Amino acid sequence: MRRGAVTVRRDFAESAGCRSDLVIGREETFHAAREQLARGGSVLLHGPAGIGKSTVLRTLAAEQAPTARTVLRCSATESESHLPFLALADLLGPVLGEVAPALPGAQSTALESALTGRGESTLQRDGLALRLAVLGALRALAAEGPVLVVADDLQWLDPASAELLGFAARRLGDTPVRLLCAVRTGEPQGRDAAYDRQLRASPPDTRAVRLGPLTRPQVAALLDERGYAGLPRPTVREIHRTSGGNPLFALELGRALAEGPTPPRPGEPLPVPTSLRALVLTRLEMLSDEARRTLLVASAGARPTPALLHAAGRDNAEAETAQAMALGLLAPDPEGPAVRFAHPLISAALYAEAPAPERRAAHAALSTAASDPIERARHLALASTGTDPEVAARLAGAAALARDRGAPSVAASLGLLAARHTPADGTPAPDERRLTAAEDAITAGEPDLARDIAREVLTRAASPGERVRAWMVVIEAAGQAIGEVDAVFPQALADAGDDPRLLALVHYQLAWRGLVVQGDFAQGREEAAHAARLAARAGDRRTELLALAFQAQAETLMGHPDAPATIRRALEEPQDARVACHHNGAGSSRFRWLVMSDRLAEARTTATALLREARRRGMAESEVHYLRFLAETELHSGHCGRALELARESLTLARDAGIGEGAGAMQAALAEAAGGDVERALALAREAVRRAEEDGDAVYLSRALAALGHASLVAGDAPAAVGALRRVRELETGAGITDPARGRWQGDLAEALVRTGEAAEAQDVIQATRAHALRLGRESVLAVLDRAEAQLRAARGEHRAAVTRLASARDRLAGLGFGLEEARAAFALAALHAGRAGAAPGAASYDEAARLFRRCRALPWLRQVEAAAVARAAGPRPGPAAVPDGLAGLASMERQVAALVMDGATNREAAARLFVSVKTVEATLTRVYRKLGIRSRVDLVRLAAGRPPG
C-alpha cells in the first residue's frame, strides 16, 4: 500500500496518540466530522486562532488514513504564502512520478514545471493545462484506491495552489477523493472572507464544522491532562474567562501560573505570558498614549461604560474607544453602552503590560468613580499598598454587603483583601477575616480556596477558637470525601478542650463522619443529638439547628418513630436565616420526610421555596442539592421530561463547582432511565458508584447502586439489576436503614428476581419490605410491592390473582400521584393480558400503558411498550438465530440501532423509530462500528447479508 508523504511542521506531524488533550470538549465535532468522512464526504474545520483546528485535523487524519490508499498532506504558513505552487508541490510532489504517465503530454509538462520549478510555468500562461493536470492527477490516484487530502491553515495557501485545488475540488463528483481541511476564521477586520473563499472552493458535499470555545469544566479537564492539575477552582474559572474558552490561550495561561513564583493575590488578574501578549500588543502599539490609558482604566473596571470612564477622568473616552474599535480591540456590546473588549485576553494583556504605578492610578480613579460600594472598596484596595485599618474596614463592610446580596464568591475575595490590609494587631485579627472568607468560599462552592485559606491559618493560629473554626473549614471542604480528613478529628477535639461551643462544632462533624464513612445511621444520630445539647448549653443556636436537622434526617431515613418530633424541634423559633435554607438544614429534612410520606405536592412546594432562597443567597452547593430534590419529586410524579431537565442542570452545576458530582450523577441516571437515554443512564450510574467508592461514601454508595440496578432493569438486563440491588440490600441492612421509601429499590429487585427465575428470594424481599412499609404507612411502597408480587404470582400461573393485584396497584398509585409507577403497573397488566393463553394478537391491550408513558414523557418505557405491542401483533418471532452473530456482544440500544440500519433506515428514521435524538443514533453507531471492527454503514449492511466487510 503506497502513501504520499511530505515534510510538515512538527506539531502537525505528531502522533495523535500522544496528545491527550485532542478530544476534550470536541466529542460532537469529532463525531460530525467522522460521520461525514465515513460517508465519503469532505470536511472543512474552521474557528479562530488557537481553538484547536490543527489538533482536531491531526487526529482525524490519523484515524482516516487507514481507509485511504493515498494520503496527500500540506500545511501552509504565512511566511511562505507568497511562493507560487508551494502547497501544490507539498501535496502532489511525492506522487508526481506516479501520476505523470497518466496525464496528456502538455498537462504533464506544465504540472512538472510548476511542482519542481524547472521551467517557466505560470498560472496565467498554463492556466488551463495546470487546472486539468491537477484534476487528472487526483482522478488517476483515485482510480487505484481512495484518496485523502489533508490541508491545514488554508488561509495561508498561496493563491496559485488555492485556485488549482478549488478548480479540481469542484469537479471531482463521485471520484473517491475526500478533503479534510482547516481554515482560520473569527478574525477582526473581515478575515472571515478566507473561510467563505475556501468553502466555495471545496467539493459540493463539504461539511463545514466550526470549533467553538471550551466550557469551564472542559478547560479544567484540559489543564489537568496537560500537567497543570490542582489549580484552585477560582483560578480555573479566571483562566476560562481570560482565555475565552480558547484551549491554546488556556494552556499558555496555565503554564504561566505553573512557572510563576507566586500565584496572583485576591483581586489581581492572571499573569499573561509574553507568548499571548504578543498576539495583541502589536495592535495596542497603534493606539495613542491617551487612548491606551483609557483602555487601561476600562480593563481595570468590572463593567466599564463611557460614563464611568468620564467619571474616572478620561475626558475623551468616546474618541479613544472609537480608535480602539477601529483596530479591532473593542467590539460593540449588543446589550448597552458598555465598553467591551473584543476578547478577554486583550484586556488581560493590556493590564499585565502596564507598569504597577499606572495600574494603581487606574484603580485609584475608579475607587471614586464607581457607583457601587463593593466596586469602590475593591478598587481602593488595589490602589493601596501595605496595611491600613480604614481600607480593611471598608473591604470587610463590602464583603458583608456582597454576602447579603447573595454573592459569597465576591465576599470571599473581598474578605481576603480585607485581611491583607488588616494590621497584625488589628481587631478583628487578619486570620479571623481570612476564616470568614473561607466560610464564604464554602458557601460559594469553592472548597479548594476555602481549604487553602484554612490550612494557611492553621500554620500560625494559637487561639482554640480560630483553630477549631479552621478545622471545620477543612472538614467542610472535603465534602462527601470526609473520610480523607479522618486525622483532623482528634486534633479538632484536642483544640476544642472542654468548651461546649467548640465541642458542638466538632461533634456535629463527627455525626457526618459516622454516617458517610461508617454508614452507621444510629451512630450519626447519637453524635448529632449530643452536638445539639452542647450547642444549646453554649447558646449557639446555629449549630444547634444544624445538629437537630441532621438528627431529624437520620431518624427519617432509619424509619425512627421520633423523626416527626425532631423535625418540629428543628423548625422551632428562633431560626437562623442561612441555616433555614441550607441543604443540611431543617427545611431539607422536612422535604425528605414529605417525599417519603408520599406528600409530593408539599415536597415540591418546599423544595421550590428552598431553591429560590438558596439562589438569592448565592449558596451554590445548596442550589445543586435543591435542583436534585426537585428532579426527584418530578420523577416520582411522573413528569419525566421536567425531571430530566432539572437533573441535568444540577449535574452541570455540580461538575462546574466540583461539589456533589456523585449524587448529581446518581439522580441524573434515574432521570435518564425514565425520560432520556438508557445507555447514558447506565454510564452515569456507574460513575456515581465509582465516585462513592473512591470517596468512601457509604450513604451515596447504596443510592448509586440502586440507580445502577434500576437503569439495568430498564435496559432489560435483569441479572445486572439483581447484582446491583442485592448489594444495596446488604448495605442498607448493615447501616440500619429500615424505611423502604428512602431509596424505593425493593420493587425493582423483586421484579428483577422474578425475571431471573429466583422466585423464593423475590418473595422474601417483598415480605420483609412490606412489614416495614406497613409499620411506617408507606402507601406508594406497598402499591409497588403489590405490582411486583402480581408478577411473581403470574410467573406461578396465578393469573386471576395477579390481574386483581395489578389493577389495584395501578389505581392506588394513580391516586397517590406516582404517575410513572402507575404507568409501569399498567404496562405489567397489559403484558399479563397479552400473555394469557388464547389471547388474540394485537396492540390494543398496550394502548393504556402507552398513553400513560407518553403523558409522563417516559421515552425508554414507551419504546418497550411499542416493541411489546409490535411483537404481539406480529405473532411468534424467530429465535435468536435471526439476529446476526456479530451483534451478540452489543448492548440493547446498540443492537436496536444496528438492526434498523441493516434494514436500510437512515439515522433520522432510526431516531424517530427509537424516540431518541439523531445525535444519540450517530454516537451509538460509532460505538457499534468500533465494537464490530468495521468502518461504515456499508460494512454493517454487508454483515447483515452474511458477507465480510469491504
Side-chain angles (χ1 to χ4, degrees), residues 435 439 463-476 482 488-514 524 527-548 550 576 579 584:
L435 288 173
E439 290 160 354
S463 158
E466 282 188 354
R467 291 188 64 79
V468 172
R469 193 176 168 193
W471 288 128
M472 294 306 100
V473 170
V474 171
I475 294 169
E476 288 278 358
I482 192 171
V488 164
F489 289 98
Q491 300 176 66
L493 283 169
D495 285 331
D498 57 1
D499 186 326
R501 183 181 65 84
L502 300 181
L503 284 170
L505 292 171
V506 181
H507 281 282
Y508 171 67
Q509 294 296 347
L510 281 168
W512 280 106
R513 181 186 176 279
E527 288 283 6
H530 183 44
R533 290 191 295 270
L534 287 167
R537 192 196 316 163
D540 182 356
R541 183 60 174 164
R542 181 179 186 277
T543 303
E544 181 187 8
L545 288 170
L546 284 169
L548 286 170
F550 181 101
D576 180 290
V579 172
N584 289 329

Side-chain angles (χ1 to χ4, degrees), residues 822-823 846-857 862 865:
E822 175 197 357
Y846 289 102
D847 287 349
E848 176 66 6
R851 182 186 70 81
L852 291 173
F853 281 130
R854 196 172 290 112
R855 183 185 69 184
C856 294
R857 287 187 60 192
L862 184 59
V865 173

